[in-house]
Amino acid sequence: MSIRSTDVLIIGSGAAGLALALRLAPWCTVTVVCKADLDEGSTRYAQGGISAVLDAADSIEAHIDDTLIAGAGLCDPEAVRFTATHGPAAIGWLSEIGVAFTRQSGEPAAGSPYHLTREGGHSHRRVVHAADATGKAVSDALRDACRAHPRIELLERHMAVDLITRTGGQRGARSCRGAQLLDLDAAVMQTWHARSVALATGGASRVYLYTSNPEVATGDGIAMAWRAGCRVANLEFMQFHPTCLYLPAQGSRVFLISEAVRGEGGRLLLPDGTAFMAGFDARADLAPRDIVARAIDHEMKRLGIPCVYLDIRHRGAEFIRTHFPTIHAQCLAVGLDMTEQPLPVVPAAHYTCGGVVTDLRGRTDLQNLYAIGETAHTGLHGANRMASNSLLECLVFAESAANDILDRLPHLPRPGDSDLPSPSHPIRETGESITIRHNWMELRRAMWDYVGIVRNTERLQRAQRHVAVIRGEAEAQWANSPTIDPDLLELRNLATVAELIVRCALTRTESRGLHYTLDHPHPAPEALDSVLVPPNLPLPLHAMHWAD
């Protein structure tokens, strides 16, 4: 058992967390925590790219308009403008630290040195990419830069258990003072004090049975922030990526077929070869993800088929191998050649559009606690995230949060360790691991069956009952166990987030963006966020009222 300290503790090692660490490290000590290996986050698996205005024929206003349209009336215009405006500089920063984006062949078109592709919802080619493995290129560059920096400490295989909070100071304001961590390899608990803490733990797509996300995407940051007294918003807007490779024998993790395939001319087909997207939207295969996912879901249910097909053979084998080398190789590994046959695809849970409520600096309701990336609700995505805005959000808000942290850090004293709690629980599996595994699968199946692409009130209420039982059992095990089981910790977090998703969905008596309910098939006249307030949040002491 130990007590340690750092200036800034960052929980999560994806694009948001590592970018924040690099922005901070020249001026303070930084500790980055990840519960698996440093590479094992959602960033690494992002294929398509990062949206930014880099072409003279494009404009910031067009990027803003496209994002607002995709968000179905629920985006915060200020957050959208802030993000789009800072996009080009974010790409420049990534290039400086070594991300090798795909370049134009020959003379640059319209002044852009990068090859730009177009994805669903975009009116222009504005997606900069590194072939079809942009996430890996970004992740590798950020990882290498962080490993090389002497002021960044990287803690792999450490799980955050809960945030450490205190009440006091001006108007009895609540603040975050650090976090309790599990060292999985040494099997010990640690108390970490930090003058600022940032949650960058990604989303919660593992709450669903089938997802494109890695195993670490269990909503830990959202759950910890909620328990600490932070508001969450719009968690009902879970984005299902429309085109994940369908293999009957596959497990819960499915391989994503990038939206860039449709951006370069790929067409969605029924088993008889009929293209169907034009019947659902004038943009056909380039419609936003929520529309495409619902269209596929509709056709699968109407025809009783297990999947639809994505066909790009007409672009030719050389084009496909050049533009989509990773996807082509992955498909070949399972016996599918996309140069010769259409690929079987289905939707799968992919991105959490809601999250912990923040302002444009990443501030949450808890002083000294920030949330960035997929963990946060900034207002950028509204009711549906536009393709390739996610990595952009990570980079832009990492810089914004870093600036705010550095502004405040000199004024934050480092208190003594004596006022921090000491670790108490040993780490080992509980005797109820079979119960944990059963509840884990039951939770994810209930969310898949009842809180999926198409919903209704009865299904949501059924899900609420199922989730309440599972969460109650998880909390009881957690409270009564003399040990801390890492699997139980993840189940506790996942059940918390599942409950919040269902609560948000039940409050939205309309269909908007990613939330489509048969009982209310039309949007309400006014677009409102679904904000949940924890019982221990003393409003109005929220992010905009921090003592500076």
Side-chain angles (χ1 to χ4, degrees), residues 117-120 125 259-266 285-286 315:
T117 190
R118 183 182 173 192
E119 297 182 349
R125 285 181 171 266
E259 191 155 336
V261 174
R262 287 183 285 123
E264 294 295 344
D285 298 284
L286 286 176
R315 295 305 304 266

Side-chain angles (χ1 to χ4, degrees), residues 427-444:
I427 308 167
R428 60 176 180 265
E429 288 188 2
T430 68
E432 300 298 327
S433 58
I434 185 65
T435 305
I436 296 171
R437 289 196 298 270
H438 174 81
N439 282 344
W440 176 279
M441 288 304 297
E442 186 173 331
L443 175 73
R444 297 173 68 205

Side-chain angles (χ1 to χ4, degrees), residues 471-540:
R471 185 179 179 220
E473 290 183 359
E475 291 291 354
Q477 283 182 277
W478 180 263
N480 297 324
S481 175
T483 64
I484 291 181
D485 186 323
D487 290 337
L488 178 58
L489 173 56
E490 282 196 330
L491 175 63
R492 181 194 187 209
N493 290 336
L494 211 62
T496 297
V497 176
E499 184 176 78
L500 296 174
I501 291 171
V502 176
R503 284 181 59 186
C504 283
L506 282 169
T507 64
R508 187 165 296 283
T509 55
E510 63 165 351
S511 288
R512 185 181 298 275
L514 298 165
H515 176 76
Y516 184 84
T517 170
L518 297 172
D519 294 330
H520 306 280
H522 304 293
E526 184 179 8
L528 298 173
D529 291 326
S530 53
V531 181
L532 301 182
V533 180
N536 54 337
L537 175 61
L539 289 176

Side-chain angles (χ1 to χ4, degrees), residues 210-212 239-244 252 254 346-351 448 453:
Y210 298 108
T211 175
S212 63
Q239 187 176 78
F240 288 75
H241 196 287
T243 55
C244 292
S252 61
V254 294
V346 293
H350 180 60
Y351 191 87
W448 182 263
I453 296 171

